[in-house]
Amino acid sequence: MYTLLCAAADIEGYGNTSAVTMAERLDIKSCKEADKLKKAKDEVYTKGFYEGVMLVGECKGMKVCDAKPIVRKSLIESGDAFPYFEPEKEVISRTGDECVVALCNQWYLAYGEEDWKGSVLAHVRDKSKFNMYSDKLAEQFEFVINWLKEWACSRQFGLGTQLPWDEQWVIDSLSDSTIYMAYYTIAHHFHGDTSNRSCFTGCDNNAVSADQFNDDAFDYIFLGRPLPAGSTCTVPVATLDTMRAEFEYWYPMDLRVSAKDLIQNHLTMGLYNHAEIWKDRPEMWPKGYYCNGHIMVDAEKMSKSRGNFMMMDESIEEFTADGLRFALADGGDTLEDANFDRSVANNAMMYLFVEEEWMRATLAEVEKGELRTGGDLYFLDKAFGNEMDHLIAACAKSFDEMCFRDGIHRAWFDMVIVRDNYRDWSQRCGIPMHRDLVLRYINAVVVMMSPIIPHWSEVIWEALGPLRGAGAPASVCNASWPACSPCDKLITAQFGFFRDFLKNARQTRLKTKVKAGAPLPSANVFLASMYEPNKVIMLEYLVSVFDAENRKFPTTFIPDMKTYVDARPDFSPQDKKMMMQFGAFMKNEASDRGISALASRLDFDQKLILEENAPYIKSTLNLTDLSFYNIEDDASTLPGDKKKRDAAVPGKPAMLMV
C-alpha cells in the first residue's frame, strides 16, 4: 500500500514520477541491480512518507504520512484489502531457521498511543535536548516512531523475567532491556568488586542482596519517591541515599552507541520507556544516540564461512593494539557499513614507528639547543602555527560529532603533511625549525590521537617529560585538549596561495626537459593583483549566486549566467563569449578554493611572500634563478611573451621557464 501511496504522490526534489527520477539519478538499467534498487527504494520511501503530497483520491493534498491510515482503513472497509503481516526482510533465527510472522493472542505495548508517541517525537526533534549526530539518523528514528504501533512485549518460552500480571509469559528481551543503563549506576552495590564474579551475593564491599530489595527501593532510587510506611525493604536508608545520589550523578545518559539494525526496535523502545518511567522528569531522558553500520573486512562481509572472521586477540597480535585501533577508526563513521582494511592497519604500524623515531630525534635536538628560539617568525613559521590552530579545532569538531575517521585525518594525516612542509622548508633553506612550534606540534598530535592510539601516545608523552609544559599531568589520559587560537584568515589565504603556487610550479617544471650536461633552467613568475573591469563585474555576479558555506552554485548556474551576460549592454559580443568562459572557469575555482577565489583584488602582497621564500622555491624546483614581475608594470620592462604573461590572475601567477 505504501508503494502505491508514494506512486500517487508528488515528492519535492523527485516530482510525481519518483521511480523514473531515481532510475535516471542512479543510472538503473535493469531490475537485477539489487543494490541500486534498494538504495532508490529507501531514499524515496523516507522522503515520500514525510514530504510526499497526495495527488489523487479522497486524501488529495494531504501528506502521505497522514493519508496512509485513512487509505488503509478505507481499503479494508470496502473489502478491497485485508491486513497482512510479514517481516520487512528475511529473518534468520540463531538456529539457522527462516522466521515467519505468527499472529497470536498476547500482550502488546501500545507505542502508537498518541500522547506517548508525541512526547517521544518532541524529544527527538529538539536538538537542544537530543543529539543524533546526523540528519539521516534523525529521519530514520522519526520514520520508526511514526510506524511503530503495537509491539508484542512478551513470549512464552526462553530465559527472561516473567510478566508480573500474567506469569505464563516472559518479557521479550527487547522490551526488557531498554533502561538497563540506569542499573549500571548502582550495579556495584549488588556485585561488589569487579573481580568478584558472583552475582547478587551481597558478600563484599558492603554490597546488598536482591532479597533486601523491592519496588519501593527502586522507586526511591530512580523516581525520587519516599519509602512508604511499612515497606519491606531492608536496605539501610543511608545506602539507598548513596545509590540515589549515584544514579542522579550519572543520569541521564549523554550518549548511547549501538548498531543501525536496532533503530527499529530496541533503541526507539528505549526512548519510549524512558519517557514513560520518567514521564515527570524529561531531563532524565537520553541526551544522544549514535548508530553505526556493521563491519566488513577488506570490503567484504565478515563471516566465518568466508574465512575472514577476525578475533580481537589475533588482530592485536598481528597489527598491535594501536595499529588495530587506528585502522578501526579509519574504517568509517556513518550508518554505512564500516570497512576494516588490513593494509591500513599494516601501514598504521609503520606510521607510528616512523613518527616516533622523528619525534624522539627532534626532542634530542631540543635538548641540545639545536632549534631556533625567540626572534621574528618567518612566513612558514606563522603558516605552520596557523594550520595547527585550524586542524586542532577541526579535529575537536569531528570528534564531538563522532566522526572519528575525519578526526584522525585532521589530527594525524593533515598534521603530518603540514609538519613535512615546514620541515622541508627548514632543511632546504638551512633555517632550523622553531623550538616552540615543534614542541606544540608533538604535544598536539599526541593528545589529539590519545583516544585512538593511547599506548603510543602514552609512550611519547612520557618521552616529552618536562617539555610537556608546567603543570602538565603525568599521563596523557589526563591531558587537556591542545589550546588553539582562532584561525587568522589572512595567513590561511596567504598559505593557500603559496601552496597552490608550488603545486602549479612543480607541474610546470616537470614539463621542462633539461638535456644531460646542460645548465639548470631559470624561471620568471608573473603576478596580477587585480582583474580587468569586465571580469570584476563577472566576479561580483558570481559572488552574488555562490553558496560560500557549501561551496556550491545553483544547478541552473550556466543558463542563469548566460541570461545575465546577454542582458549587459556594456558587453560586446566578443566580451560575452569571453565572460561566459571566464565565469565557467571561476565557478570551478570557487568550488575548489572557496569564496576567496572570487576576490577581484587580493588583500595581501603575493610578490612579498614569494620573494621571502625564493631560496626554498629555487631549491624545491631545482632552478638556477628566479625573478618576479607584476604584470600591471610597464609592459616594455617585462620579459617574455605577453599572451603567456597575461595568463596570470590574482592568486594564480604564471610561471615561464627561461
Side-chain angles (χ1 to χ4, degrees):
M1 186 189 76
Y2 181 47
T3 303
L4 294 174
L5 289 174
C6 283
D10 181 79
I11 308 172
E12 184 177 354
Y14 301 80
N16 58 8
T17 54
S18 55
V20 176
T21 301
M22 290 305 297
E24 293 175 349
R25 188 175 296 175
L26 299 179
D27 193 29
I28 299 173
K29 303 295 186 184
S30 166
C31 61
K32 296 180 180 180
E33 297 180 84
D35 291 342
K36 289 184 178 180
L37 288 169
K38 182 180 184 304
K39 182 177 181 181
K41 172 190 168 184
D42 292 345
E43 185 174 327
V44 170
Y45 272 33
T46 301
K47 290 286 185 182
F49 187 77
Y50 296 109
E51 300 176 16
V53 178
M54 298 298 296
L55 296 173
V56 296
E58 60 181 313
C59 296
K60 182 178 180 180
M62 294 176 63
K63 287 197 171 183
V64 170
C65 56
D66 298 323
K68 180 180 177 181
I70 298 173
V71 174
R72 181 182 187 276
K73 183 173 181 292
S74 175
L75 289 172
I76 292 174
E77 289 178 349
S78 67
D80 294 322
F82 60 87
Y84 171 68
F85 302 91
E86 67 175 1
E88 288 189 346
K89 55 186 177 180
E90 183 182 41
V91 179
I92 303 297
S93 71
R94 292 179 182 178
T95 61
D97 299 311
E98 182 179 347
C99 297
V100 297
V101 173
L103 184 60
C104 306
N105 290 322
Q106 61 160 294
W107 295 100
Y108 286 82
L109 286 172
Y111 288 118
E113 196 275 325
E114 289 300 323
D115 288 343
W116 198 10
K117 167 185 169 182
S119 62
V120 174
L121 265 179
H123 182 66
V124 166
R125 290 170 175 170
D126 190 341
K127 293 185 178 180
S128 67
K129 295 179 180 178
F130 191 71
N131 186 2
M132 278 189 282
Y133 298 92
S134 81
D135 292 337
K136 186 175 181 181
L137 184 60
E139 287 180 1
Q140 291 202 24
F141 270 98
E142 284 216 24
F143 178 82
V144 172
I145 292 168
N146 280 296
W147 157 80
L148 193 59
K149 302 300 179 186
E150 292 79 29
W151 184 275
C153 63
S154 57
R155 49 191 167 82
Q156 289 187 305
F157 57 88
L159 297 174
T161 306
Q162 289 180 314
L163 198 64
W165 58 86
D166 192 347
E167 294 188 356
Q168 67 174 314
W169 295 93
V170 177
I171 300 175
D172 170 66
S173 57
L174 288 171
S175 305
D176 195 31
S177 62
T178 52
I179 61 164
Y180 59 81
M181 295 69 76
Y183 177 71
Y184 288 166
T185 66
I186 62 169
H188 53 287
H189 290 279
F190 290 100
H191 298 267
D193 189 84
T194 55
S195 62
N196 175 27
R197 298 299 181 182
S198 60
C199 291
F200 296 98
T201 60
C203 62
D204 64 356
N205 280 13
N206 297 317
V208 295
S209 61
D211 57 10
Q212 294 178 270
F213 260 67
N214 59 14
D215 288 348
D216 297 337
F218 284 114
D219 288 348
Y220 184 91
I221 296 167
F222 295 133
L223 302 183
R225 294 175 182 172
L227 282 175
S231 173
T232 58
C233 172
T234 59
V235 180
V237 172
T239 301
L240 292 176
D241 286 339
T242 298
M243 297 168 87
R244 177 193 283 182
E246 289 173 332
F247 167 71
E248 297 276 355
Y249 176 83
W250 290 110
Y251 241 62
M253 70 182 91
D254 294 294
L255 178 64
R256 174 86 165 90
V257 179
S258 194
K260 63 182 179 181
D261 54 318
L262 296 181
I263 294 172
Q264 62 185 359
N265 42 60
H266 174 81
L267 293 173
T268 303
M269 294 170 186
L271 292 171
Y272 272 93
N273 292 347
H274 277 84
E276 177 60 24
I277 292 171
W278 288 282
K279 63 174 63 177
D280 299 322
R281 300 187 66 188
E283 70 275 11
M284 288 297 182
W285 301 359
K287 296 173 69 175
Y289 274 178
Y290 180 83
C291 292
N292 51 264
H294 302 128
I295 189 167
M296 298 186 293
V297 174
D298 296 331
E300 290 187 348
K301 182 179 179 181
M302 182 169 63
S303 67
K304 291 181 179 178
S305 62
R306 291 176 182 265
N308 65 346
F309 195 88
M310 301 179 65
M311 301 299 291
M312 184 178 292
D313 55 349
E314 296 170 352
S315 302
I316 292 173
E317 184 176 347
E318 182 175 357
F319 303 115
T320 74
D322 282 349
L324 177 65
R325 292 169 65 98
F326 194 109
L328 287 170
D330 190 61
D333 305 303
T334 67
L335 287 170
E336 300 301 322
D337 291 343
N339 180 42
F340 177 82
D341 191 328
R342 284 187 173 91
S343 65
V344 173
N346 280 316
N347 289 336
M349 291 189 290
M350 183 178 294
Y351 299 152
L352 300 180
F353 173 78
V354 171
E355 193 65 10
E356 180 180 349
E357 290 292 294
W358 179 83
M359 287 182 174
R360 289 186 180 280
T362 303
L363 291 175
E365 292 178 2
V366 170
E367 292 176 353
K368 295 175 184 177
E370 296 176 355
L371 301 185
R372 269 187 303 133
T373 57
D376 294 334
L377 297 178
Y378 293 93
F379 169 71
L380 261 295
D381 290 327
K382 297 175 185 177
F384 183 36
N386 194 61
E387 287 295 296
M388 283 195 284
D389 284 330
H390 163 68
L391 294 173
I392 291 169
C395 178
K397 182 175 183 294
S398 294
F399 281 178
D400 285 343
E401 295 173 351
M402 301 288 286
C403 295
F404 295 105
R405 181 177 187 176
D406 290 344
I408 65 171
H409 277 252
R410 305 293 87 77
W412 185 271
F413 295 110
D414 291 350
M415 284 285 281
V416 168
I417 287 171
V418 296
R419 187 281 315 274
D420 286 348
N421 290 338
Y422 181 60
R423 180 177 59 180
D424 186 53
W425 166 83
S426 168
Q427 292 171 344
R428 290 182 181 276
C429 296
I431 301 172
M433 294 182 291
H434 200 286
R435 176 185 184 276
D436 295 345
L437 288 169
V438 167
L439 288 178
R440 185 187 179 207
Y441 165 83
I442 296 174
N443 272 271
V445 169
V446 168
V447 173
M448 288 193 293
M449 290 298 295
S450 61
I452 311 298
I453 46 173
H455 311 88
W456 180 89
S457 298
E458 195 69 63
V459 167
I460 305 300
W461 188 254
E462 183 178 347
L464 277 164
L467 297 174
R468 295 189 293 251
S475 171
V476 71
C477 296
N478 298 321
S480 299
W481 190 259
C484 63
S485 302
C487 258
D488 187 319
K489 293 183 179 180
L490 179 59
I491 295 178
T492 299
Q494 291 172 331
F495 184 59
F497 154 76
F498 181 66
R499 187 177 53 222
D500 290 344
F501 166 76
L502 283 176
K503 176 183 175 181
N504 295 329
R506 288 188 182 102
Q507 293 174 349
T508 301
R509 177 67 178 85
L510 285 172
K511 296 175 183 177
T512 304
K513 296 181 180 179
V514 180
K515 294 181 180 179
L520 294 174
S522 300
N524 292 326
V525 177
F526 298 94
L527 306 132
S529 60
M530 179 120 183
Y531 286 98
E532 61 184 70
N534 282 353
K535 290 182 178 179
V536 171
I537 293 172
M538 287 302 299
L539 289 170
E540 291 172 349
Y541 169 74
L542 294 176
V543 169
S544 71
V545 298
F546 183 55
D547 178 357
E549 183 176 351
N550 298 305
R551 292 192 179 187
K552 290 183 178 179
F553 286 91
T555 55
T556 57
F557 171 73
I558 294 298
D560 290 348
M561 182 171 64
K562 188 175 187 308
T563 300
Y564 174 79
V565 169
D566 288 343
R568 295 286 311 187
D570 49 339
F571 285 1
S572 68
Q574 186 178 3
D575 288 339
K576 291 178 180 179
K577 181 179 178 180
M578 291 176 60
M579 291 306 103
M580 285 294 294
Q581 293 173 343
F582 175 72
F585 173 77
M586 294 309 297
K587 170 183 178 291
N588 294 332
E589 290 289 298
S591 299
D592 181 45
R593 294 162 46 202
I595 197 163
S596 62
L598 302 179
S600 58
R601 177 186 290 274
L602 294 180
D603 53 0
F604 59 85
D605 191 329
Q606 304 166 92
K607 190 175 181 181
L608 189 65
I609 294 171
L610 296 180
E611 285 181 338
E612 178 183 326
N613 292 282
Y616 175 60
I617 298 170
K618 287 169 60 177
S619 174
T620 193
L621 297 179
N622 207 13
L623 300 171
T624 56
D625 198 14
L626 186 63
S627 301
F628 304 98
Y629 302 92
N630 290 317
I631 63 172
E632 289 89 355
D633 292 345
D634 185 354
S636 63
T637 65
L638 301 178
D641 180 81
K642 181 180 184 303
K643 185 176 181 180
K644 293 182 179 179
R645 294 198 311 258
D646 288 347
V649 296
K652 200 165 185 179
M655 190 174 85
L656 306 181
M657 305 305 297
V658 181

